[in-house]
Amino acid sequence: MERSKPYPLLIASGIVSGSLYLLLYVYESAIMATFTRTDGWYPALPVIAAFVYSFAHGAFAASFWEVLGVRGRKA
């Protein structure tokens, strides 16, 4: 049985992932100034950002490979 390809998910996750990278590029100096502070909770910001970017990119990559028809072998 052929499953439908997740085109809407691919497009949505691609827009989210691309937007995050665009924001990082555009606001790079403000992000660096904030993320390099060492007081309070600021040292946790790079870790949180890494999780957010990883989740967004992972969602896009998973739907990208699914649309292409690439799947892992079942053991």
Side-chain angles (χ1 to χ4, degrees):
M1 180 172 152
E2 183 68 26
R3 295 182 356 201
S4 66
K5 298 190 184 271
Y7 289 110
L9 182 60
L10 173 68
I11 293 167
S13 61
I15 289 171
V16 170
S17 183
S19 297
L20 284 171
Y21 283 107
L22 179 66
L23 288 171
L24 182 63
Y25 178 74
V26 170
Y27 296 107
E28 177 260 340
S29 58
I31 291 170
M32 284 299 294
T34 304
F35 280 25
T36 54
R37 290 181 57 175
T38 57
D39 57 318
W41 284 92
Y42 288 101
L45 290 178
V47 176
I48 295 167
F51 279 115
V52 170
Y53 276 79
S54 178
F55 181 77
H57 181 76
F60 171 71
S63 58
F64 174 78
W65 290 118
E66 183 71 25
V67 165
L68 289 181
V70 177
R71 292 191 188 106
R73 281 193 288 177
K74 295 187 182 197

